Amino acid sequence: MHEKKIFSELKEDVDLLLIYNRGGSTVDLNFFYVTGLVTGGIFEGSYAIVYPDETKVITSLLEETSAKKGDNDIYIFRTSKEREELLKKLVGEAKKIGLNYSSLTLEDFEKIKKNLGDRNYVDVGQAIMNARMIKDENEINIIREAAKIASEVAEIMPDFMKEGMREYELAARLVYEMLKRGASDVAFTSIVAFGENTAEPHYVPGARKLKKGDFVLMDFGAKYRMYNSDTTRTFVFGKASEEQREIYDTVLRVQEMGIGMVRDGASGAEIDSKVHDFIDSTKYKGLMTHSTGHGLGLAVHDHVGLSRNMDVTLREGMVITVEPGIYVPDLGGVRIEDDVVVRKNSAEVLTFAKKKELIEV
Ligand SMILES: [Mn+2]
């Protein structure tokens, strides 16, 4: 899948691409991208051999049923010896082989060299990443479903907020509600923060109890068919203070401004600069401590999106997050995050949980 697109991104010709998914803690998401095998199966220790017009998969007997769901040629091995023989046979006389250096361990690279001998190996990781950055409508529809699950859950979460409950209890409910709606997994460890903890952008839920007047920040996402959503909503438990309202309204305004600037051809760095400039023009100067957004796809942080540190020209079909925040130490923070598709003249917003008014729970 996506073979033509990947080959058109290559800086130099290669005879084939060889993608190895070791599995465990070294999953190569490119394996799933090139094979399109996203509906099930782990594919540990599997190879994908990619040509400009087809992809061959070498996988184990355990994955046979899952592998057959795709439209690749499948080669099944029972032992690692059989796997290496299949690899040698299928790679044949290819002289120049593209590998993904960013996910291949040195151990596996040495094993490939031992099996295939002296060939010309080149890194094609960036070319695959360039192809992955622009989603086709099928991929966008999968992300749309992941975004729908997360949005529906964000909307019902206030029903579960009770005085005295702990952050991890609300986090457990969040995960449960996503899986109940068909998420295959969570996209990442959910952030659920109460009160002063909301001032920490990458907080991990702990034992803090919910009190009246707390900000409640939830940053989470659903995984669906291996693609991810990523959304953040911030509430106040009880009655909001003037200060809390002011922070919320500032973030909401700049978030909508940011979304309004997203379109084909726009500069990601410029959008991020404008978002920061806006916040820095208010009394919350310097209190947005991260960039405005990132690319979203098979990885939660798929590629650079809206960042002053590394410019990217937005292209139609990219999916990015827009997530400004203001973090006031000791008081708390607000972040509002939506997932959007870059379209020709605007952004198509995929996440839809209410945000127009600060919700007091
Ligand atoms: Mn995010």
Side-chain angles (χ1 to χ4, degrees), residues 188 219 230-232 294 300-301 321 323 335 337 339:
F188 53 91
D219 179 347
D230 183 3
T231 189
T232 308
H294 52 86
V300 177
H301 290 178
T321 67
E323 50 174 312
R335 181 164 63 256
E337 175 179 24
D339 304 337

Side-chain angles (χ1 to χ4, degrees), residues 39 51 133 187 198 209 215 225 262 288 347 352:
T39 59
Y51 302 91
M133 282 170 81
T198 56
K209 285 182 174 174
F215 269 134
R225 297 194 171 175
V262 170
M288 177 171 164
F352 53 75

Side-chain angles (χ1 to χ4, degrees), residues 188-201:
F188 53 91
T189 305
S190 310
I191 298 173
V192 173
F194 298 161
E196 67 289 344
N197 293 338
T198 56
E200 196 186 324

